[in-house]
Amino acid sequence: FMLLFFWSLFAVLTARSSPAQVREGALVLNIDGVVVEEAAVIDPIQALLSTSAPVAEYQVRDLVRALDAAATDDRIKAVVLDLDRFIGGGQVHLQAIGAAMDRVRAADKPVLTYATAYADDGMLLSAHASEVWVNPLGGAAVAGPGGEMMYYAGLLEKLDINARVYRV
């Protein structure tokens, strides 16, 4: 009985739900976590002792495979990406997903994205969409690949500091 209990506990904690659902002819991808190359193994004991739920991880190959299947499936008329709780992913992974979205669009199927607020990674994916939907109270915050740069030129001039910046 104890083995059965711990086996079922391990199965519940390590089970990963699929982000893809087909609803009324549309493939809905609810990406509410991070896009990764390989999903991390969840330690069941650590998950029990943790005060927060583990971050959902989605493998890039699974998302690309789902999008490629949607491009050739006649039952699917559109693809919807729900990026409302999308955290991000590597630029290479997002470019692979974007290329798969382009293949869906080349098959004459609309690709729609939705989010309350878009960050850099969400904007990179939505750039490949046919339509981008934003919550009326939402927006987009695009910092770009360089992030935020702080400029202290005025302060340095007032303090009469001569700065020399070397880059290699």
Side-chain angles (χ1 to χ4, degrees):
F1 179 73
M2 291 295 283
L3 286 173
L4 180 64
F5 172 74
F6 284 113
W7 179 81
S8 62
L9 181 65
F10 178 76
V12 167
L13 291 175
T14 59
R16 300 186 192 278
S17 61
S18 172
Q21 296 177 1
V22 177
R23 295 184 197 158
E24 300 176 12
L27 173 67
V28 179
L29 292 173
N30 184 11
I31 308 173
D32 58 350
V34 181
V35 175
V36 294
E37 181 75 27
E38 188 69 33
V41 178
I42 298 174
D43 181 19
I45 296 172
Q46 187 69 16
L48 284 173
L49 298 176
S50 177
T51 58
S52 63
V55 175
E57 296 178 339
Y58 300 101
Q59 295 182 10
V60 64
R61 68 174 172 259
D62 294 340
L63 296 172
V64 170
R65 191 176 306 140
L67 288 168
D68 286 339
T72 59
D73 193 348
D74 293 333
R75 297 174 295 171
I76 296 175
K77 305 298 181 205
V79 175
V80 178
L81 274 75
D82 185 357
L83 303 175
D84 206 21
R85 290 181 298 241
F86 178 57
I87 297 174
Q91 188 173 9
V92 174
H93 302 318
L94 297 178
Q95 287 177 348
I97 295 170
M101 291 169 65
D102 290 339
R103 289 191 291 274
V104 173
R105 289 181 55 206
D108 291 330
K109 296 181 182 182
V111 178
L112 297 94
T113 59
Y114 169 81
T116 300
Y118 287 94
D120 288 335
D121 292 343
M123 287 299 293
L124 180 61
L125 285 182
S126 64
H128 296 275
S130 307
E131 293 182 28
V132 179
W133 290 35
V134 181
N135 188 312
L137 298 176
V142 181
E148 291 187 25
M149 302 289 288
M150 302 183 99
Y151 297 98
Y152 295 105
L155 176 66
L156 294 176
E157 288 174 6
K158 285 181 183 178
L159 296 176
D160 196 27
I161 295 174
N162 191 6
R164 290 181 171 77
V165 179
Y166 299 99
R167 292 188 182 189
V168 177

